[in-house]
Amino acid sequence: MTVLDAPVGEAVPAAGGQGLVPVFARLKLTLLRNGLRGSSGRRAAYVVSLVVTLLLAVGMVIGLVALRGHALAGVPVVLLTAVVALGWAVMPLFFPSGDETLDPSRLVMLPLRPRPLVGALLTASLIGIGPFFTLALLLGSVIALAHGAVAVVFAVVAVPLTLLVCVALARSVTTANIRLLTSRKGRDLAVLSGLVVAVGIQFVNFGAQRLGRAGGLSSLEPVADVVRWLPAASAVGAVDSASAGEYGTALGQLLVSVLALGVVMGLWQRSLVKLMTSPDGSTLTAEPGSGRSGSGRSGLFALLPEGRTGTVMDRSLRYVVRDPKTKAAWVTALAIGLIVPVLNAVQGSGSVYFACFAAGMLGMQMYNQFGQDTSAFWMVALSVSSTRDAFLELRARALALLLITLPYTVLVTVVTAAVIGDWAALPGVMGLSFSVLGAMLATGALASALFPYSIPQDGAFKNVVPGQGGLAWISVFGGMVAAAVLSGPVIGLTIWLHVADRQDQLWLLLPVGAVYGAFLGWLGVRLAAPQTARRLPEILAAVSKG
């Protein structure tokens, strides 16, 4: 009797122990094979990912084996193992649908007991590209570290133990958060995953540069000494300790990973029991009177002005908090706008004027304002019957953006000036940033009215529907060029003050830039309002596509 043949409500006797393991292993292989029999695009994507993973694994193994015999080989190997384990723990939060065949919520209605189910899911989880890549890294790691018969014995135990800890950790995290990951908040995490990777690459690049100037691997020894006692890196650290003849230390490090595996498996089983026995919160009826009433604003939103301006600002700010695409764009702009100037300043290769990059990144959020509403823009269109209504709508959207961009621009400018130590240039940089921000608001308002385009909601990394790519390029890049031209007077004044050796008068840029930027923003909204009112049908048709 197989798992699926059992009557509902009756436990599966044959699958109660080891019987589930081959069933789930065959199920995983069958699902993978049937998936490859689908579309040619999916099959090609799987083959390409397999080839790329194989090439990366071979390259990593060669690099690790090349470390064999190096006095500090244990430092990068232990740290690499820790990073891999961290990746196993974190990646399920950003890619919850990466392995739908192991989604425990799909097994809730089957007559399966949690304890044997954990073992079966663990075995099935070992089948895939990710476990293969991790196994290759672990083999290369122990080859680089194992010297002597005792170390080889520790290596034979450390490789499967570390792999099991990594996979069990990933499954435990997924099971504990499966209902969150399949909700709207989980989709938000998936949208933000690209940002995490991009920011992580920037920090890895920065760390590598600092490492090269700090004297190489020896500067990482204190970190590695701590990490080698953390699971699952402790198992690989045990191999290094055994090679050095520290058998007691090696045994202790190995036991750390063994205990960690037991704890993770226990937490996994506990989460699985809770998932299979407790009702989903989305099916529970809320108590009368609980939650928000839906009328009026609460919290910080209550501070917004009354009337149309406050309503539009409230709506725009809630898009930033709740809409995955809008949230991803804002978080990306906030992160990159801070990372670029600050990291360049820390490395000693930047200028305080790099802080203007933050104003430019945030100013881009003014572009395609109506496309962010997608098909819901028809409700906004019904409330716009005159140029005055359009002006109030655009002005409120710009004010909502300024609530975030103005203090953030000041923050980035102050932090960059503090890191570099050039406080004399702070007023001038801030004034220049304000003028850039005003120019971006002006061109963004006009571009939103003249070149609107729809933003698809079905893909995390799709920002333009097919057929509107040209509109997006004209809107964003054309607007950025126009913003640079509009900022020309303040940029020219800044250059002239530096060339004329009048740095003591750079403070004049602050009031000049602030006034000029405010004028540009007002003028852009004023010019975009009649275009918006006149082109409402075209805008509605453009943003409702896809």
Side-chain angles (χ1 to χ4, degrees), residues 48 78 129 166 188 262 526:
V48 170
V78 168
I129 296 178
C166 290
D188 290 353
R526 176 64 69 181

Side-chain angles (χ1 to χ4, degrees), residues 231-248:
S234 61
V236 176
V239 179
D240 191 28
S241 299
S243 299
E246 301 173 357
Y247 303 124

Side-chain angles (χ1 to χ4, degrees), residues 83-98 169-170 173-174 181 189-190 193-194 196-197:
V83 171
V84 171
L86 180 63
W88 275 97
V90 174
M91 283 299 105
L93 297 177
F94 298 113
F95 301 97
S97 61
L169 183 60
V173 171
T174 302
L181 297 176
L189 290 173
S193 60
V196 174
V197 174

Side-chain angles (χ1 to χ4, degrees), residues 28 102 121-132 160 163-164 167-168:
K28 179 67 179 291
L102 300 176
L121 287 174
L122 180 61
T123 302
S125 300
L126 295 173
I127 302 173
I129 296 178
F132 167 76
L163 181 60
L164 289 175
V167 175

Side-chain angles (χ1 to χ4, degrees), residues 292-524:
R292 288 186 45 156
S293 63
S295 61
R297 295 189 289 266
S298 60
L300 295 177
F301 292 100
L303 301 177
L304 298 176
E306 296 296 333
R308 184 185 185 111
T309 299
T311 302
V312 175
M313 293 177 67
D314 183 286
R315 185 212 316 144
S316 299
L317 294 174
R318 290 188 188 278
Y319 276 160
V320 176
V321 176
R322 296 180 178 179
D323 181 64
K325 288 295 183 71
T326 306
K327 182 188 296 184
W330 270 98
V331 174
T332 301
L334 291 171
I336 302 301
L338 178 64
I339 289 174
V340 170
V342 172
L343 281 187
N344 278 279
V346 171
Q347 295 178 25
S349 59
S351 167
V352 68
Y353 285 95
F354 273 45
C356 297
F357 186 80
M361 287 294 298
L362 295 180
M364 290 179 62
Q365 307 310 310
M366 187 64 187
Y367 290 82
N368 197 34
Q369 278 291 308
F370 307 129
Q372 298 175 13
D373 299 343
T374 62
S375 58
F377 178 70
W378 71 270
M379 292 185 291
V380 177
L382 290 177
S383 66
V384 177
S385 58
S386 63
T387 300
R388 174 67 178 172
D389 292 336
F391 174 78
L392 294 177
E393 176 76 23
L394 287 170
R395 187 187 65 178
R397 291 177 182 243
L399 290 175
L401 187 143
L402 288 174
L403 284 180
I404 302 175
T405 56
L406 277 179
Y408 187 78
T409 299
V410 174
L411 173 65
V412 173
T413 307
V414 171
V415 171
T416 306
V419 173
I420 295 179
D422 188 4
W423 292 104
L426 176 62
V429 175
M430 201 170 294
L432 183 58
S433 297
F434 290 157
S435 68
V436 171
L437 183 58
M440 297 292 285
L441 292 178
T443 56
L446 285 168
S448 297
L450 298 176
F451 307 106
Y453 57 90
S454 180
I455 301 177
Q457 299 297 307
D458 57 344
F461 304 103
K462 296 179 181 178
N463 294 315
V464 184
V465 298
Q468 291 187 335
L471 283 174
W473 278 87
I474 294 174
S475 173
V476 177
F477 291 98
M480 291 173 62
V481 172
V485 173
L486 291 176
S487 302
V490 180
I491 296 176
L493 178 60
T494 304
I495 296 174
W496 180 78
L497 288 175
H498 280 280
V499 172
D501 197 18
R502 296 187 178 183
Q503 283 82 357
D504 58 328
Q505 299 180 10
L506 286 174
W507 65 269
L508 292 173
L509 292 174
L510 180 56
V512 171
V515 173
Y516 184 68
F519 170 73
L520 287 180
W522 173 85
L523 181 61

